[in-house]
Every structure is written in C-alpha cells, then in structure tokens.
Amino acid sequence: MIRLFNVYYPTRTLVLLICEVLLVAAHFCWPRTFLMGPDAYIVLIYESGLLKIAGITVLTLLLTYYFDLYEPRRISEDWEIYFRLLLVLSVLSFVLAGLVYFFPGVGHWS
C-alpha cells in the first residue's frame, strides 16, 4: 500500500494507473511524431497538442474507472473484462466524435 494525500492505495492500482497514462499518451504522441517528423514538437507544444492528449488521457482514465476496470474483484467472468474494454473504447469514440463535431477546432492538428 502506498500512502498518497493521507489515503492508502494498493500498489497494483497505482502501477496500473501510471502505465495506462503512459500508454494512452504515447499512442497519441508517437503517430504525431511519425507523421510530422522533426516538426512534431511545434504541433505538440505550440499548438496545444499536449493539452489535447492530456484531455484524452484523463477522459480515458475516467471511463476506465467508471466501468470498474480498476476493481478486478467486481468482475466475475473473463469475457466481462473484454466487454468492459469495448464499452470504454466505444463511449470514448462517441465522446471524441461529439467534441470534434460541436467544436471543430478541437480536432485540428495541422
């Protein structure tokens, strides 16, 4: 158990959270770096690309928490994990599509 802000958290949960943050953020940074080449830092830093990636990462973590993927004791069957992951991805896709539809500037990456 790790104590953070006077609350004890399981080490497994914090390691899972940190790894998930790194994975989600990396999966948005790497394609941008691959597509833009050496000028990727301009898009990521000066055109608020890192802020957009941070928002998507936080939204992903909130949905993962909402669908109880951080509590393995609540999941009774193996297939239920895959179903909940599919729910997280589908809700995330609809939310991001709605954001881009209603606020077109959010989806603009140059």
Side-chain angles (χ1 to χ4, degrees):
M1 297 288 251
I2 295 175
R3 185 177 178 194
L4 187 65
F5 303 118
N6 293 327
V7 178
Y8 288 97
Y9 295 100
T11 306
R12 178 184 183 274
T13 303
L14 289 178
V15 169
L16 180 65
L17 182 69
I18 291 169
C19 289
E20 188 172 356
V21 165
L22 291 175
L23 280 173
V24 171
H27 280 94
F28 281 96
C29 285
W30 285 337
R32 181 55 41 198
T33 304
F34 178 72
L35 289 174
M36 299 294 291
D39 295 332
Y41 72 93
I42 294 171
V43 174
L44 290 175
I45 294 175
Y46 296 115
E47 295 182 9
S48 68
L50 290 177
L51 184 63
K52 293 174 187 178
I53 291 172
I56 292 170
T57 303
V58 168
L59 183 62
T60 303
L61 294 177
L62 288 174
L63 287 172
T64 305
Y65 176 76
Y66 179 74
F67 286 109
D68 290 329
L69 285 171
Y70 289 121
E71 291 292 331
R73 289 179 226 112
R74 292 188 182 188
I75 299 173
S76 58
E77 299 290 329
D78 291 337
W79 61 268
E80 195 172 353
I81 294 172
Y82 299 114
F83 180 72
R84 289 181 186 207
L85 280 172
L86 184 63
L87 282 174
V88 167
L89 292 175
S90 60
V91 170
L92 183 66
S93 297
F94 280 114
V95 168
L96 292 177
L99 279 173
V100 170
Y101 181 75
F102 290 112
F103 305 104
V106 172
H108 182 66
W109 286 83
S110 290

